[in-house]
Amino acid sequence: MLLEARRISKFYPGVKALNSVDFSIDAGEVVAVVGENGAGKSTLMKILAGAIEPNEGELYLDSNPVEFDGPLDAQRHGICTIYQELMIVPELSVVENVFLGHLKKKGIFLDWNTMRKEAQGILSRLGLTASLDAKAGDLSVAEQQLIEIAKSMSRKSRLLIMDEPTASLSKDEVASLFELVHSLKEEGIAVILITHHLHEIFEICDRLIVLRDGDYIGASDINQIDEAGLVEMMLGHAVDTYDKGRRQNVKSDELVLKASGLTRAPYIDNVDLTLNRGEVLGIAGLMGAGRTELMRAIFAADKIDSGVIEINGSLAYLSSPRNALNQGLGLAPEDRKTQGLVLSMPIGHNATMPSLSEHVGLLGLNLRKEAAAAKDLCEKLLVKYASLSQPAGNLSGGNQQKVVLAKLLGAGTDIYLLDEPTRGIDIGAKEAIFDLIWDLTAKGNSVIIISSVIEELIRVCDRIVCLHLGRVTNTYERGDFDLNRIMLNAMGKSGEGAIQ
Amino acid sequence: MKKFVKTYPFVIVLVFMTLVFGVLSPTFLDPGNLTNILKQASLLGFVALGMCFVLIGGGLDLSVGSIVALSSVLIAGLSATLPPIVGIHIALLAGILIGIINGYFVTAFNFQPIIVTLSTMAVVRGVAMAYSNSRPIFGTLPDELFLLADGVVLGLPVPAILFFFAGAVSIFFLRYTDLGRQIYQVGGNEEAARLAGINVARVKILTYGISGFLSAFAGLMLVARMQSGEAVRTGIGWELDAIAAAAIGGVSLMGGIGTVIGTLCGALIIGMMANAFNLLGINPYWQRIVIGIVLAVAVASYSSKNLRNLIKRLSSSQTKVNQ
């Protein structure tokens, strides 16, 4: 047994994060830790990686009791973690980030030659083409994540913990990551994988354990369980929602948003877009296709070079996000931590952020009314929290995303721009978000949604626009949806049926 | 109770210090001395309060000490030719204007606050020295002005009343206005605030403006006390004391976190130490050393998990020994 955890418990004020959980992993084994948001997966991983101390329970490394004195100590014992929240230093170059904390030296000098060679080797194995000297902060989220993976590969780790490594990777990137995991396995390195994509678990893992609300639910070898069984373990009940169909079409003929000739060099180039009332429009594209930039251009978060936006048939001169919000637009940004939430602020204050002025009375803010509104919003979105005055940073990733959506809901948005709203979110929460989207459109709102998972777009959208290198390559109406063709178009290959 | 200690540790420190100094020095707890402390601490208190706004908004203001000096010489100097009330208004407006300039350069050009305010710190100090020829100005100040420093209303010194009043207004502003809330949002995550429709530039400029105003007001209080204005030594190092007061009171230099009550307690803690060391006849350099240590311990206790763990471990080993 490489690493074993026995009867681990962790309590936070008001929250039982983990309750007597057992876990073990052998050398060369790939084990998935599965559970909904807030099930305690991340907490367990942090304990294994020495980032937090458990209140109860023991860890055994090579069958010897061990207590990690911080994450560095765990790393010295060969346990490396790639957290869901990237730990990239944006001002440093790619190669400096890869060797962050363990720079190689020759005598008293840094040995850049060796480091560059090693970094290049690892990065090309990972399929990252960025220059070693590029500033890490200038890269896309996916590329930054690959740097994170490279970082832990460059250490001689025996156990690699990956918390949602594929959440922002494209299909190709995921495939090369999994190849990598296979070769790590053959070298005897153990891997713990947290993922919300069940098919990934079945593709790559040997074994899985399931957590629910901090409790240990069970473990299973991968060939003794199927997807339905796993979902039942995760949720505690069988789900029919898992292949639930789509709600009826509520798309109307009324045009609510029309963008013409949107250009912001070098990201988006002459993009035309329309959106009808009640419609769900998907944007498919790879990382770097300009999806996020398109959303931000519509929302006036970035200045555009040229192009016009019409809302409800009249020209909208959007000069700032405030302007866009007043016109009924709402953006849930790609990265909830750096753009969506103020992590140091209470959950409740985050939820009412864009709608705060509604709660201003003669005597200033009506805190009670605001708190009631925040509670209502968070409950509508099924946010799991101990107290509304808890800082938003204490929430799990999925719950943070729900708070971001609560903000939009509270702002009285009628055109929702959702940038990767399902990233890093479990099945239950994903279904809740799809339900919310359909609910919103049924009430006459409209939605534009970005997702890296094209299957999700196919499920949820009325129409899908394919974006490649800042240009629209094709548009598909529901009924013509075809996974392969959409994928090809998103990759810039205008396959069959593409408009030339 | 536990929650109170966790939220307001500085209150405990304040009470603890009062008791210790009270035991060490028989005169420390005299009502006369306590009023004296309030009077002295209130000067730094105004500046620290302004700093608290700027820090919560994610900025930093090094120009406060220079604004205090400029305000003091303006009030004293202008009184020779203008009615004092006009001079006072000009000085306060000058403070606000300098703050707005600070905020403008920080927001419009995205310059680092520390550089912008370091520049204004030098420029404003220079202007004050040029205006006063680097000599104290006595001017023709009315006796009523001195009541601002020496007056007593309902048994409380006027500076302390003004200090608490400014504190109360600030608490209300930060807690019960949307603009106040926006300061926390901008300081906590500027991009998220912008995407939530908040006018980030306006909020930041506001914080620097408040800081400039309160610093100029401290200059007014200083003139009232000293009965003169002076540009060379006035307010030297106050920016650091103000940052120290805010930090002791739990204001984060990273922005987004902090309270007015904490800042006021921080200013009182610093003022109290100065007074007590004086009474105890301890050399003033010790005062600087102790302030430095208190600051380091305070900031460490807010931010360092390790330190908290260490304290926890120490106290748990203590209990083991006791058993």
Side-chain angles (χ1 to χ4, degrees), chain A residues 226-237:
Chain A
D226 59 4
E227 261 191 44
L230 176 55
V231 170
E232 194 174 335
M233 268 176 102
M234 282 170 64
L235 301 181
H237 54 84

Side-chain angles (χ1 to χ4, degrees), chain A residues 104-117:
Chain A
K104 291 203 181 310
K105 286 182 186 172
K106 200 188 257 168
I108 58 164
F109 297 106
L110 291 175
D111 186 1
W112 286 114
N113 280 337
T114 312
M115 282 193 276
R116 293 181 73 90
K117 225 174 275 169

Side-chain angles (χ1 to χ4, degrees), chain B residues 121-293:
Chain B
M121 174 183 173
V123 171
V124 171
R125 173 76 60 184
V127 169
M129 279 158 60
Y131 179 78
S132 65
N133 255 329
S134 297
R135 278 195 288 269
I137 304 179
F138 292 92
T140 49
L141 296 163
D143 289 345
E144 292 86 29
L145 183 63
F146 306 137
L147 284 178
L148 269 184
D150 293 328
V152 175
V153 174
L154 300 171
L156 275 173
V158 173
I161 292 173
L162 290 171
F163 174 57
F164 290 129
F165 176 72
V169 171
S170 303
I171 290 172
F172 178 84
F173 181 74
L174 283 176
R175 195 172 158 76
Y176 290 102
T177 69
D178 50 343
L179 214 47
R181 176 76 62 77
Q182 287 174 4
I183 296 176
Y184 283 97
Q185 294 169 343
V186 167
N189 187 341
E190 199 177 320
E191 179 66 2
R194 195 174 75 92
L195 292 180
I198 288 156
N199 186 336
V200 171
R202 189 177 71 173
V203 171
K204 284 192 166 183
I205 291 172
L206 174 80
T207 64
Y208 287 99
I210 291 172
S211 173
F213 169 76
L214 286 169
S215 303
F217 193 81
L220 168 66
M221 300 300 293
L222 200 65
V223 174
R225 198 165 97 190
M226 311 303 276
Q227 316 202 346
S228 67
E230 196 274 341
V232 183
R233 286 188 310 275
T234 302
I236 294 280
W238 281 28
E239 62 284 339
L240 298 182
D241 280 347
I243 294 170
I248 288 172
V251 178
S252 163
L253 267 70
M254 306 293 288
I257 297 173
T259 59
V260 168
I261 294 182
T263 307
L264 298 187
C265 287
L268 280 175
I269 287 171
I270 289 179
M272 199 181 265
M273 278 196 292
N275 174 279
F277 280 43
N278 209 351
L279 288 182
L280 296 169
I282 300 172
N283 202 313
Y285 62 71
W286 275 106
Q287 190 189 324
R288 307 308 299 176
I289 294 173
V290 173
I291 288 179
I293 293 171

Side-chain angles (χ1 to χ4, degrees), chain A residues 172-481:
Chain A
D172 287 348
E173 288 163 329
V174 171
S176 58
L177 174 66
F178 283 0
E179 253 170 54
L180 204 76
V181 171
H182 274 300
S183 58
L184 290 175
K185 206 172 127 94
E186 272 157 29
E187 291 165 33
I189 296 171
V191 176
I192 301 176
L193 184 72
I194 296 184
T195 175
H196 288 304
H197 302 300
L198 299 188
H199 64 90
E200 292 179 358
I201 297 171
F202 289 94
E203 192 179 331
I204 198 165
C205 296
D206 303 314
R207 210 150 54 78
L208 58 85
I209 79 156
V210 179
L211 302 178
R212 194 195 314 141
D213 290 331
D215 289 323
Y216 174 81
I217 300 301
S220 168
D221 278 341
I222 209 72
N223 45 25
Q224 283 166 4
I225 191 167
D226 59 4
E227 261 191 44
L230 176 55
V231 170
E232 194 174 335
M233 268 176 102
M234 282 170 64
L235 301 181
H237 54 84
V239 268
D240 49 350
T241 51
Y242 192 51
D243 322 292
K244 194 174 73 178
R246 194 180 178 284
R247 60 87 181 92
Q248 72 278 23
N249 192 357
V250 293
K251 178 181 169 184
S252 81
D253 293 335
E254 186 191 345
L255 199 63
V256 289
L257 180 81
K258 184 176 175 205
S260 331
L262 283 186
T263 301
R264 182 181 164 228
Y267 306 106
I268 46 175
D269 182 13
N270 206 14
V271 173
D272 298 333
L273 213 63
T274 59
L275 182 68
N276 285 10
R277 182 170 305 285
E279 186 180 24
V280 183
L281 173 67
I283 297 181
L286 304 176
M287 289 279 159
R291 308 174 306 184
T292 297
E293 289 77 7
L294 178 59
M295 288 284 213
R296 289 177 61 95
I298 296 171
F299 191 64
D302 298 317
K303 283 215 164 61
I304 52 173
D305 301 331
S306 60
V308 270
I309 291 168
E310 286 169 50
I311 294 173
N312 297 325
S314 54
L315 271 184
Y317 301 97
L318 302 178
S319 59
S320 69
R322 174 80 267 166
N323 233 244
L325 280 162
N326 289 344
Q327 299 260 13
L329 293 174
L331 173 73
E334 182 185 20
D335 187 336
R336 53 189 171 246
K337 294 225 170 225
T338 60
Q339 298 163 359
L341 295 174
V342 182
L343 298 178
S344 57
M345 240 176 29
I347 299 165
H349 291 187
N350 269 291
T352 57
M353 216 160 129
S355 51
L356 192 61
S357 56
E358 282 170 28
H359 307 296
V360 180
L362 278 176
L363 293 167
L365 277 180
N366 186 338
L367 295 183
R368 205 173 300 162
K369 195 173 138 224
E370 188 210 344
K375 186 159 179 266
D376 184 48
L377 289 171
C378 288
E379 272 168 11
K380 265 189 195 144
L381 284 167
L382 312 169
V383 182
K384 270 188 205 163
Y385 58 87
S387 147
L388 279 178
S389 51
Q390 212 183 336
N394 287 3
L395 289 176
S396 69
N399 278 311
Q400 287 181 357
Q401 185 66 284
K402 290 182 189 170
V403 176
V404 172
L405 295 175
K407 276 170 53 181
L408 302 191
L409 205 61
T413 306
D414 29 61
I415 300 172
Y416 287 77
L417 310 172
L418 311 180
D419 194 348
E420 294 273 15
T422 56
R423 192 172 103 195
I425 281 190
D426 63 63
I427 295 179
K430 226 176 239 183
E431 288 300 329
I433 284 175
F434 291 160
D435 281 342
L436 176 78
I437 289 174
W438 293 328
D439 210 34
L440 287 169
T441 49
K443 287 180 184 141
N445 300 289
S446 316
V447 176
I448 303 182
I449 176 173
I450 294 177
S451 173
S452 293
V453 185
I454 294 175
E455 289 90 333
E456 277 179 24
L457 293 181
I458 289 180
R459 172 125 188 266
V460 80
C461 295
D462 294 302
R463 194 156 53 96
I464 295 177
V465 166
C466 298
L467 207 63
H468 178 71
L469 294 177
R471 285 166 166 275
V472 174
T473 51
N474 212 340
T475 304
Y476 292 95
E477 292 287 338
R478 187 167 197 86
D480 299 335
F481 286 175

Side-chain angles (χ1 to χ4, degrees), chain A residues 69-88:
Chain A
D69 189 17
L72 263 179
D73 192 37
Q75 280 170 19
R76 267 181 234 118
H77 284 90
I79 299 174
C80 274
T81 308
I82 299 156
Y83 286 111
Q84 199 174 337
E85 280 71 45
L86 302 178
M87 310 284 176
I88 290 289

